[in-house]
Amino acid sequence: MTLGPRSHTTRMYAREDDLTDELFNKICKYIYEKARINLGKNKMELVRARFGKVIRQRNMSGFKEYFAWMQSDTTGEALREVMNAISTNLTSFFRENEHFQFLSSTLIPKLEQSNARSGGKIRLRGWSAGCSTGEEVYTMAMTISESVTRMEEWDVKLLATDIDTEVVAHGQRGVYGKDRVNGIPPALVKKYLNSVTDEKGKPAYQMRPELRKMITFRHLNLFSEWPFRNKFNFIFCWNVMIYFDRPTQEALINRYYDNLASGGYLFIGHSESLSGVNHRFEYVKPTIYMRK
């Protein structure tokens, strides 16, 4: 009789099977209170699978012990780990490309015209809220670089934030496998990416320093204090609001409004809408809104 493997398997399933409805509801309440993410009952298996992996890595006895640790933690480690486990980070380069075309054809010429009379550098500030692994914000950087004639005349700073610390670290490194850069036109790959090897020694690409220096990656919970001194010309917030209930959506949208400069734009995902949400934005076109 080989007890070792069988004993390990039994213990693994016991850890996952102690997630009761009551405990699941307590975990959902914790996540809502900390990050306003609204998990429904249909997410129980997702929580079981993703948290079960973390529980085994921590060698804890099960969900009950893990939840007790979540509640007692005062360092912020528990919340970061929970958010890393629960987050879905689906992204790609030049995804929803009409938004980047709008940056190029509308926002940048608008800033050029409004700054032509004042002299000095043209200031451009953008925020990728829910940046995932960075493909979105690097697409912004490439779009801006391709859309202006003289980059030295521009003062460009892009902020990329996410509640998941692992994807923030990925974006900061700016290294992507060959399959990840398929959405980038070959001419831009040649111009803005360097051939490297990843941590496993496989061929990969890294964003060049001229793009990376435009971008600041930061961990940020959207419902914590925002340490911003200046207002943004545009904010991208794709497929983030789908996790929130209506009151939370309204609170977030109005915070975005307050942190945009006059004439600034908010871009949301094509699976989202502000229909039925109380807000002060002016509708421009589907998924694009402007601060008056």
Side-chain angles (χ1 to χ4, degrees):
M1 184 181 290
T2 55
L3 293 178
R6 181 177 295 179
S7 174
H8 172 79
T9 302
T10 303
R11 187 181 181 195
M12 179 183 73
Y13 283 113
R15 287 175 176 173
E16 296 184 4
D17 286 348
D18 77 336
L19 180 62
T20 62
D21 288 343
E22 181 183 4
L23 186 51
F24 172 73
N25 290 335
K26 288 180 179 179
I27 292 172
C28 290
K29 183 180 178 182
Y30 170 93
I31 293 172
Y32 184 83
E33 289 175 348
K34 297 294 185 181
R36 294 296 185 268
I37 293 175
N38 191 28
L39 293 178
K41 290 183 178 180
N42 62 331
K43 300 296 184 183
M44 188 169 182
E45 290 309 311
L46 180 145
V47 168
R48 189 191 306 276
R50 295 190 180 181
F51 283 45
K53 180 180 178 181
V54 175
I55 288 167
R56 291 192 296 276
Q57 288 173 342
R58 284 191 168 273
N59 201 32
M60 289 183 171
S61 60
F63 280 89
K64 186 175 180 180
E65 182 183 355
Y66 188 71
F67 182 64
W69 172 71
M70 286 164 56
Q71 289 182 300
S72 64
D73 177 63
T74 58
T75 67
E77 180 184 357
L79 179 60
R80 287 192 296 272
E81 185 170 277
V82 167
M83 291 300 101
N84 290 359
I86 208 70
S87 300
T88 299
N89 297 294
L90 178 64
T91 187
S92 60
F93 291 100
F94 289 94
R95 186 183 180 197
E96 302 193 11
N97 193 41
E98 56 270 34
H99 286 170
F100 302 109
Q101 292 172 351
F102 188 90
L103 283 184
S104 179
S105 64
T106 302
L107 177 58
I108 289 175
K110 181 179 175 181
L111 288 175
E112 286 178 325
Q113 292 170 9
S114 64
N115 283 274
R117 296 185 298 275
S118 61
K121 288 193 173 184
I122 302 172
R123 180 183 177 279
L124 176 57
R125 298 291 183 269
W127 178 17
S128 172
C131 66
S132 188
T133 45
E135 286 89 336
E136 176 183 295
V137 73
Y138 283 116
T139 304
M140 292 177 191
M142 285 186 278
T143 299
I144 293 167
S145 297
E146 288 296 294
S147 302
V148 302
T149 305
R150 298 173 62 85
M151 264 316 279
E152 63 271 18
E153 295 178 356
W154 286 73
D155 173 20
V156 179
K157 287 185 172 60
L158 302 175
L159 175 66
T161 68
D162 203 285
I163 199 167
D164 185 331
T165 55
E166 293 178 1
V167 298
V168 169
H170 187 149
Q172 204 160 28
R173 291 191 297 271
V175 176
Y176 302 92
K178 285 189 172 184
D179 59 321
R180 302 292 293 175
V181 305
N182 287 338
I184 306 176
L188 298 187
V189 172
K190 184 176 181 180
K191 188 173 182 179
Y192 293 112
L193 283 74
N194 289 325
S195 295
V196 296
T197 54
D198 63 16
E199 64 275 9
K200 296 179 180 179
K202 295 182 178 180
Y205 290 94
Q206 184 173 37
M207 295 294 163
R208 290 188 178 176
E210 58 264 35
L211 289 187
R212 285 158 47 210
K213 73 180 181 182
M214 292 185 196
I215 305 166
T216 299
F217 284 90
R218 289 287 183 269
H219 167 258
L220 181 71
N221 182 338
L222 289 175
F223 297 94
S224 64
E225 182 179 353
W226 292 358
F228 308 144
R229 293 193 301 268
N230 300 306
K231 294 186 181 296
F232 296 97
N233 301 107
F234 67 90
I235 298 172
F236 276 52
C237 183
W238 286 352
N239 305 319
V240 172
M241 292 188 296
I242 57 176
Y243 295 103
F244 306 138
D245 58 19
R246 184 59 53 81
T248 303
Q249 291 174 351
E250 291 183 354
L252 181 61
I253 289 300
N254 283 290
R255 288 185 82 185
Y256 285 148
Y257 187 95
D258 292 335
N259 282 272
L260 278 167
S262 179
Y265 294 94
L266 172 67
F267 300 86
I268 64 175
H270 280 78
S271 62
E272 301 169 310
S273 169
L274 298 192
S275 176
V277 176
N278 291 323
H279 64 86
R280 294 166 283 167
F281 281 99
E282 180 177 298
Y283 174 85
V284 178
K285 57 195 306 185
T287 70
I288 302 177
Y289 299 83
M290 184 180 74
R291 174 171 177 162
K292 300 175 184 177

